[in-house]
Amino acid sequence: MQIRTLTKAGFYKDSVALMRVAEALLKQFPLQRTTLVMATPANKDILTEAGLLEAHAAKASPADLLIVLAALAGDDPAVLDHAALMAEELLNAKPAQSGSAQHVVPKSLAMAVARLNDQKSHANLAQISVPGLYAAAEALKAVRQGLHVFLFSDNVPLEQEVALKRAAQKKGVLVMGPDCGTAIINGVPLGFANVVRRGSIGFVAASGTGLQEVTTGVHNAGAGVSHALGTGGRDLYAEVGGITMLQGLDLLIADADTKVIGIVSKPPAASLTKAVLQRLQDARKPAVVLFLGASDTSPAAHIHMVRTLEGATALCAALARDEAPAVVEAEPDDLPNVSFQPGQRYLRGLYSGGTFCTEAQLLARELGVTTWSNVPLEKARKLANLQQSQEHTLIDLGDDDFTVGKPHPMIDQTTRIERLMQEARDPAVAVILLDLVLGYGAHADPAGELVPHLQAARELAKRDGRALCIVAFACGTEEDPQVRSHQERKLLDAGCLLAVNSSQAARLAAKLVQRIAGAAA
C-alpha cells in the first residue's frame, strides 16, 4: 500500500466537515482510505493499529491535522498527488463573506453570545464538535455562559465528562454527550436527527440510532415528539451517575407539553436503574423504558418496561393516543420460501447503527441463533479477526473498529459495500441483514447507492447456484430529505425482503437461518 500523509499545523475543522472532505476524495479518486483526524495520541494509536501512521506524522501535535491518503501499491502515484491537492483546496476553501462586521465569523463562544445579545436574540445552547482533547474545556466555557451543550465530540476522557456534567448540574444546564449523535429540542434537530412532527412524547436516550428509531417510529405511527434528549453512551455508567439522564427526566416531567416519557439505553449500573425508575415512579407520568437486554420487571403500573425498539415505539404511541397500553411485536411467521444450497446456513448483519446491532444480537439469541460481533453481548463472542466473519456474525460498521480513515457508514457506504461483496462470495452465507439510517447529515440516497451492489451480490450467488436473501429496513420518515418510501421502493425493486423496523428485520433474518438449521437437523 502507498501512503501519503500531509500535516497541517495548528489547523482545525470539526469532525463532520472532515468526514465530508474524506467522502469527496473517495468519490473522486480510487483511494483505499482517506483519513482526516487531529493528531491526538488516541487518533495516532488508531492510525498505528491500521498501519497508516508514518514516522513524521507521529511527531505531530494534538493541534495539528493529519491527512492520510492510501492507495494500492500498484496504483499510479499521481493519484495521491492529485488527491492531496484536492484535500488542500477543500480544507482551505472559505465561505464568501460580505464586509459587514455582522458577517464576521465569531472566534469564541463568548463572542457569539455577545453578538446575539447585541442583536436582542438569546442563545441557550451550544453545539460543540472539536477534538476530544479540547472538547471538555470548550463545553465548560459554554456551561459557564449558562448554555446547554450538545457535545458531538468523542474521545473525551471519562473523568472530564464527570467534571463537566457536575458543573452543568450545578449551573442548571444539560450536557448532551460526549459522543452525542442525535437530539431534537423544541422541534429543532441536532446532529443526525430526522424530521418528525411535534407531539406529546419526550425521550431521553443513551443511544443515537436507538433515539432515531423511536422518534421516527412514533412519527410514522401518527404521534409526535416534544423533545428528544441524547445523553452520550457513558452517562449511565456508575462513575458518571446518570447526571444527564436524570436532568433530562426532570425537564420532561416538568414540561406541560410532554405527556409520555420514553427511555432508550443499554442497561445502566444497578444503582442508576433504581434511581431512574424511582424518578419515573414519583413523577406519575406514563413512561416506557427500554434497557436493552435487561429485566422487564416494572415497579409501578404507569411504568412500562419493554424489550425492543419496536415495543418502545408502539407503546409510546399508544399511550400518547390514550389507548390501552399493549406492546405489539409482530412475528414474521410468513417466511419466504427460498431454496438454499446445502452448506448455506449463516447470517451476516452489516449495520451502520450500533443500537440496531445490539438489539439484533439479543433477538437472535432469543431465537437460539448465537452470533459473533465486533461489539458482542459477551466478550467471549468477539470476532478474532474483524475483517473476517465467522458463523453467524453481526457487525457495527459505525464503530471505531471500522471508521478509522473513513467516513461513518451513515455518510459513506464504501466499507459496507466492500463487506457486502465479501459476504456474498462466502458459500456458507444464506442471509444478509442491513439497515438504512435516513435524516439530516446522512447519505443523500443510501438505497440508490447500495442497490447496484445488492443486485451484484445476488447475481454473484446465483452464478454459483446459490440463493441469497437480503433483509433490510429504513429508519426514517417521509419528511426526511431522502424520503423513506422512496428508499424502501428501491430496496424492494432490488429484491430485498423489507421489514418495517429494526426489531422485525432482526427477527425475520434470525428465523430464516433458524429454519435452515431445523431443516438440516
Side-chain angles (χ1 to χ4, degrees):
M1 182 178 289
Q2 305 176 69
I3 299 174
R4 179 76 51 82
T5 304
L6 307 177
T7 302
K8 292 181 73 66
F11 187 92
Y12 172 74
K13 290 270 188 184
D14 69 61
S15 56
V16 174
L18 294 179
M19 284 191 288
R20 292 297 187 194
V21 172
E23 180 184 16
L25 293 172
L26 285 169
K27 285 183 177 178
Q28 183 69 25
F29 301 103
L31 298 170
Q32 289 298 104
R33 290 194 177 189
T34 62
T35 305
L36 291 89
V37 292
M38 302 305 293
T40 62
N43 283 337
K44 287 193 281 189
D45 286 346
I46 292 172
L47 290 171
T48 298
E49 291 177 10
L52 295 173
L53 187 68
E54 294 187 288
H56 68 89
K59 300 175 184 178
S61 78
D64 300 338
L65 175 67
L66 296 178
I67 307 162
V68 184
L69 308 171
L72 292 174
D75 286 350
D76 184 351
V79 169
L80 294 175
D81 296 333
H82 296 315
L85 287 173
M86 181 174 173
E88 287 277 8
E89 290 174 1
L90 292 173
L91 290 167
N92 293 330
K94 294 182 179 180
Q97 297 181 0
S98 70
S100 167
Q102 258 190 331
H103 292 86
V104 175
V105 177
K107 301 298 183 183
S108 68
L109 282 168
M111 183 178 173
V113 170
R115 175 178 298 172
L116 288 170
N117 288 341
D118 289 344
Q119 296 171 353
K120 298 185 179 178
S121 300
H122 174 64
N124 63 3
L125 184 144
Q127 181 166 313
I128 295 175
S129 177
V130 300
L133 185 66
Y134 311 110
E138 292 303 313
L140 186 58
K141 293 175 187 177
V143 166
R144 288 172 176 165
Q145 293 274 350
L147 301 176
H148 300 290
V149 174
F150 180 82
L151 187 52
F152 190 82
S153 306
D154 58 6
N155 292 317
V156 176
L158 185 62
E159 63 273 15
Q160 292 184 15
E161 177 176 350
V162 173
L164 175 61
K165 289 188 171 181
R166 287 177 179 171
Q169 188 177 35
K170 289 180 181 178
K171 195 75 174 177
V173 295
L174 283 178
V175 171
M176 294 170 279
D179 200 17
C180 186
T182 303
I184 302 172
I185 312 293
N186 285 324
V188 178
L190 301 173
F192 294 110
N194 301 85
V195 183
V196 299
R197 74 174 60 82
R198 298 295 302 277
S200 62
I201 306 171
F203 291 100
V204 189
S207 160
T209 49
L211 188 55
Q212 287 186 262
E213 179 76 345
V214 293
T215 53
T216 58
V218 297
H219 172 93
N220 294 331
V225 175
S226 56
H227 308 281
L229 310 174
T231 68
R234 301 183 304 200
D235 188 72
L236 289 168
Y237 284 15
E239 299 92 327
V240 183
I243 291 173
T244 303
M245 174 65 72
L246 294 172
Q247 284 181 292
L249 288 177
D250 287 341
L251 290 172
L252 295 180
I253 289 166
D255 179 35
D257 292 330
T258 299
K259 307 299 183 185
V260 178
I261 296 173
I263 293 176
V264 178
S265 173
K266 292 180 181 178
S271 60
L272 292 178
T273 298
K274 183 177 180 181
V276 168
L277 295 179
Q278 186 63 55
R279 193 68 54 94
L280 293 173
Q281 194 166 349
D282 294 342
R284 308 302 302 169
K285 283 188 177 183
V288 177
V289 179
L290 171 59
F291 290 147
L292 274 167
S295 167
D296 59 357
T297 303
S298 173
H302 68 285
I303 301 175
H304 308 275
M305 309 296 290
V306 294
R307 300 165 43 258
T308 65
L309 290 163
E310 178 183 34
T313 298
L315 197 47
C316 282
L319 291 169
R321 294 191 295 261
D322 292 322
E323 296 174 357
V327 176
V328 178
E329 296 184 346
E331 291 294 334
D333 293 324
D334 188 18
L335 299 180
N337 187 18
V338 182
S339 297
F340 295 105
Q341 291 298 310
Q344 277 192 275
R345 58 191 181 278
Y346 291 134
L347 164 64
R348 303 287 160 81
L350 307 178
Y351 281 103
S352 61
T355 304
F356 297 145
C357 187
T358 297
E359 181 191 46
Q361 291 177 69
L362 289 164
L363 292 174
R365 186 170 66 183
E366 288 180 7
L367 291 168
V369 178
T370 303
T371 58
W372 297 84
S373 181
N374 62 314
V375 286
L377 301 176
E378 299 93 19
K379 290 182 180 178
R381 305 299 297 182
K382 187 176 179 69
L383 286 171
N385 178 0
L386 300 183
Q387 304 305 322
Q388 183 63 53
S389 299
Q390 58 189 87
E391 300 176 338
H392 302 299
T393 296
L394 300 174
I395 302 171
D396 173 15
L397 291 166
D399 188 75
D400 287 347
D401 291 331
F402 292 97
T403 55
V404 59
K406 300 178 182 179
H408 192 280
M410 285 169 57
I411 296 174
D412 183 276
Q413 299 183 100
T414 301
T415 300
R416 174 149 63 176
I417 290 167
E418 291 171 352
R419 191 62 174 254
L420 167 69
M421 300 310 296
Q422 177 181 322
E423 304 296 359
R425 286 189 287 269
D426 186 340
V429 172
V431 181
I432 291 177
L433 176 57
L434 304 166
D435 63 343
L436 287 189
V437 184
L438 315 181
Y440 295 113
H443 192 286
D445 182 15
E449 180 183 53
L450 201 55
V451 158
H453 304 283
L454 296 177
Q455 293 170 330
R458 296 182 70 214
E459 188 60 34
L460 187 156
K462 185 178 179 181
R463 287 199 301 269
D464 291 342
R466 295 179 283 119
L468 186 64
C469 275
I470 300 175
V471 178
F473 72 96
C475 171
T477 71
E478 285 299 284
E479 288 70 27
D480 280 331
Q482 301 88 348
V483 187
R484 185 185 184 198
S485 63
H486 294 179
Q487 298 297 307
E488 291 180 330
R489 173 47 55 189
K490 291 176 183 180
L491 293 173
L492 283 170
D493 289 346
C496 293
L497 301 177
L498 187 66
V500 299
N501 56 48
S502 64
S503 308
Q504 289 192 30
R507 286 196 198 94
L508 174 56
K511 285 203 168 191
L512 282 167
V513 295
Q514 183 189 48
R515 186 175 67 180
I516 295 170

